[in-house]
Coordinates of all heavy atoms in Angstrom, one line a residue:
Chain A
S70 N 72.5 65.4 170.5 CA 71.1 65.3 170.5 C 70.5 66.4 171.3 O 71.3 67.2 172.0 CB 70.6 63.9 171.1 OG 71.0 63.8 172.5
R71 N 69.2 66.6 171.3 CA 68.6 67.7 172.0 C 67.2 67.2 172.5 O 66.5 66.4 171.8 CB 68.5 68.9 171.2 CG 67.7 68.8 169.9 CD 68.0 70.0 169.0 NE 67.5 71.3 169.6 CZ 67.9 72.5 169.2 NH1 68.8 72.6 168.3 NH2 67.4 73.5 169.8
D72 N 66.7 67.8 173.6 CA 65.4 67.6 174.0 C 64.8 69.0 174.1 O 65.0 69.8 175.1 CB 65.4 66.9 175.4 CG 64.0 66.6 175.9 OD1 63.0 67.2 175.4 OD2 63.9 65.6 176.7
N73 N 64.0 69.3 173.1 CA 63.4 70.7 173.1 C 62.3 70.9 174.1 O 62.0 72.0 174.5 CB 62.8 71.0 171.7 CG 63.9 71.2 170.6 OD1 65.0 71.4 171.0 ND2 63.5 71.1 169.4
S74 N 61.8 69.8 174.7 CA 60.8 70.0 175.8 C 61.6 70.3 177.1 O 60.9 70.9 178.0 CB 60.0 68.7 176.0 OG 60.8 67.7 176.5
K75 N 62.8 70.0 177.2 CA 63.6 70.3 178.4 C 64.7 71.4 178.2 O 65.5 71.7 179.0 CB 64.4 69.0 178.8 CG 63.4 67.9 179.3 CD 64.2 66.7 179.8 CE 63.3 65.6 180.3 NZ 64.0 64.4 180.8
N76 N 64.7 72.0 176.9 CA 65.6 73.1 176.6 C 67.1 72.6 176.9 O 67.9 73.4 177.5 CB 65.3 74.3 177.4 CG 64.0 75.0 177.0 OD1 63.5 74.7 175.9 ND2 63.5 75.9 177.8
T77 N 67.4 71.4 176.5 CA 68.7 70.9 176.8 C 69.4 70.2 175.6 O 68.7 69.5 174.8 CB 68.6 69.9 178.0 OG1 68.0 70.5 179.1 CG2 70.0 69.3 178.4
L78 N 70.6 70.5 175.5 CA 71.5 69.9 174.4 C 72.4 68.9 175.1 O 72.8 69.0 176.3 CB 72.3 71.0 173.8 CG 73.4 70.6 172.8 CD1 72.7 70.2 171.5 CD2 74.4 71.8 172.6
Y79 N 72.7 67.8 174.4 CA 73.5 66.7 174.9 C 74.7 66.4 174.0 O 74.6 66.6 172.8 CB 72.7 65.5 175.1 CG 71.5 65.6 176.0 CD1 70.2 65.8 175.5 CD2 71.7 65.6 177.4 CE1 69.1 65.9 176.4 CE2 70.6 65.8 178.3 CZ 69.3 66.0 177.7 OH 68.2 66.1 178.6
L80 N 75.7 65.8 174.6 CA 76.8 65.2 173.8 C 77.1 63.9 174.5 O 77.7 63.9 175.6 CB 78.0 66.1 173.7 CG 79.1 65.5 172.8 CD1 78.6 65.5 171.3 CD2 80.4 66.3 172.9
Q81 N 76.8 62.8 173.9 CA 77.1 61.5 174.4 C 78.5 61.1 173.8 O 78.7 61.1 172.6 CB 76.1 60.4 173.9 CG 76.4 59.0 174.4 CD 76.3 58.8 175.9 OE1 75.4 59.4 176.5 NE2 77.2 58.1 176.5
M82 N 79.4 60.9 174.7 CA 80.8 60.6 174.3 C 81.1 59.2 174.6 O 81.2 58.8 175.8 CB 81.8 61.5 175.1 CG 81.5 63.0 174.9 SD 82.5 64.0 176.0 CE 84.1 63.6 175.4
N83 N 81.2 58.3 173.6 CA 81.5 56.9 173.8 C 82.9 56.7 173.3 O 83.4 57.4 172.4 CB 80.6 56.0 173.0 CG 79.1 56.1 173.5 OD1 78.9 56.4 174.7 ND2 78.2 55.8 172.7
S84 N 83.6 55.7 173.9 CA 85.0 55.4 173.6 C 85.9 56.6 173.6 O 86.6 56.8 172.6 CB 85.0 54.6 172.3 OG 84.2 53.4 172.4
P85 N 85.8 57.4 174.6 CA 86.7 58.6 174.6 C 88.2 58.2 174.6 O 88.6 57.1 175.1 CB 86.3 59.4 175.8 CG 85.8 58.3 176.7 CD 85.1 57.3 175.9
R86 N 89.0 59.1 174.0 CA 90.4 58.9 173.9 C 91.1 60.0 174.6 O 90.5 61.0 174.9 CB 90.8 58.9 172.4 CG 90.1 57.9 171.6 CD 90.3 58.2 170.1 NE 89.6 57.2 169.2 CZ 89.4 57.4 167.9 NH1 89.8 58.5 167.4 NH2 88.8 56.5 167.2
A87 N 92.4 59.8 174.9 CA 93.2 60.8 175.6 C 93.1 62.2 174.8 O 93.0 63.2 175.4 CB 94.6 60.4 175.7
E88 N 93.1 62.1 173.5 CA 93.0 63.3 172.7 C 91.7 64.0 172.7 O 91.6 65.1 172.1 CB 93.5 63.0 171.2 CG 92.6 61.9 170.6 CD 93.3 60.6 170.6 OE1 93.9 60.3 171.7 OE2 93.2 59.8 169.6
D89 N 90.7 63.5 173.4 CA 89.4 64.1 173.6 C 89.4 65.0 174.8 O 88.4 65.7 175.1 CB 88.3 63.1 173.7 CG 88.1 62.3 172.4 OD1 88.2 62.9 171.3 OD2 87.8 61.1 172.5
T90 N 90.5 65.0 175.6 CA 90.6 65.8 176.8 C 90.6 67.3 176.3 O 91.4 67.7 175.5 CB 92.0 65.5 177.5 OG1 91.9 64.2 178.0 CG2 92.2 66.5 178.6
A91 N 89.6 68.0 176.9 CA 89.4 69.4 176.5 C 88.3 70.0 177.3 O 87.6 69.3 178.0 CB 89.0 69.5 175.0
V92 N 88.2 71.3 177.2 CA 87.0 72.0 177.7 C 86.0 72.0 176.6 O 86.3 72.3 175.4 CB 87.4 73.5 178.1 CG1 86.1 74.3 178.4 CG2 88.3 73.5 179.3
Y93 N 84.8 71.6 176.9 CA 83.7 71.5 175.9 C 82.7 72.6 176.1 O 82.2 72.8 177.2 CB 83.0 70.2 176.0 CG 83.9 69.0 175.4 CD1 85.0 68.5 176.1 CD2 83.5 68.5 174.2 CE1 85.8 67.5 175.5 CE2 84.3 67.5 173.6 CZ 85.4 67.0 174.3 OH 86.2 66.0 173.8
F94 N 82.6 73.5 175.1 CA 81.6 74.6 175.1 C 80.4 74.2 174.3 O 80.5 73.7 173.2 CB 82.2 75.8 174.5 CG 83.4 76.4 175.2 CD1 84.7 76.1 174.7 CD2 83.3 77.2 176.3 CE1 85.8 76.6 175.3 CE2 84.4 77.7 176.9 CZ 85.7 77.5 176.4
C95 N 79.2 74.5 174.8 CA 78.0 74.5 173.9 C 77.8 76.0 173.4 O 78.2 76.9 174.1 CB 76.8 74.0 174.6 SG 76.1 75.0 175.9
A96 N 77.3 76.1 172.2 CA 77.2 77.3 171.6 C 75.9 77.4 170.8 O 75.5 76.4 170.2 CB 78.4 77.6 170.6
K97 N 75.2 78.6 170.9 CA 73.9 78.8 170.2 C 74.2 79.4 168.9 O 74.9 80.4 168.7 CB 73.1 79.7 171.1 CG 71.8 80.2 170.4 CD 71.2 81.3 171.3 CE 70.2 82.1 170.5 NZ 70.8 83.0 169.5
G98 N 73.5 78.8 167.9 CA 73.6 79.4 166.5 C 72.7 80.6 166.5 O 71.8 80.8 167.3
V99 N 72.9 81.5 165.5 CA 72.0 82.6 165.3 C 70.9 82.1 164.4 O 70.9 81.0 163.8 CB 72.7 83.8 164.6 CG1 73.9 84.2 165.4 CG2 73.1 83.4 163.2
Y100 N 69.8 82.9 164.4 CA 68.6 82.4 163.7 C 68.9 82.3 162.2 O 69.4 83.2 161.5 CB 67.5 83.5 163.8 CG 66.1 83.0 163.3 CD1 65.4 82.1 164.1 CD2 65.7 83.4 162.1 CE1 64.2 81.6 163.6 CE2 64.5 82.9 161.6 CZ 63.7 82.0 162.4 OH 62.5 81.6 161.9
G101 N 68.7 81.1 161.7 CA 69.0 80.8 160.3 C 70.4 80.4 159.9 O 70.7 80.2 158.7
D102 N 71.3 80.4 160.9 CA 72.7 80.0 160.6 C 73.2 79.2 161.8 O 73.5 79.6 162.9 CB 73.5 81.3 160.5 CG 74.9 81.0 160.0 OD1 75.4 79.8 160.0 OD2 75.7 81.9 159.6
L103 N 73.3 77.9 161.5 CA 73.7 76.9 162.5 C 75.1 77.1 162.9 O 75.5 76.7 164.1 CB 73.5 75.5 161.8 CG 74.0 74.3 162.6 CD1 73.2 74.1 163.9 CD2 73.8 73.0 161.7
S104 N 76.0 77.7 162.1 CA 77.4 77.7 162.3 C 78.0 79.0 162.6 O 79.2 79.2 162.5 CB 78.1 77.0 161.2 OG 77.7 77.5 160.0
R105 N 77.2 80.0 163.0 CA 77.7 81.2 163.6 C 77.1 81.3 165.0 O 75.9 81.2 165.2 CB 77.2 82.5 162.8 CG 77.8 83.8 163.3 CD 77.0 85.0 163.0 NE 76.3 85.0 161.7 CZ 75.3 85.9 161.5 NH1 75.0 86.8 162.4 NH2 74.8 85.9 160.3

Side-chain angles (χ1 to χ4, degrees):
Chain A
S70 62
R71 62 192 296 160
D72 186 336
N73 286 345
S74 69
K75 295 182 178 179
N76 292 343
T77 303
L78 175 73
Y79 302 101
L80 185 68
Q81 179 68 41
M82 304 172 62
N83 294 335
S84 301
R86 305 165 179 164
E88 55 264 36
D89 296 319
T90 294
V92 173
Y93 285 73
F94 297 100
C95 68
K97 169 187 164 291
V99 304
Y100 190 78
D102 189 345
L103 176 61
S104 51
R105 183 206 326 166

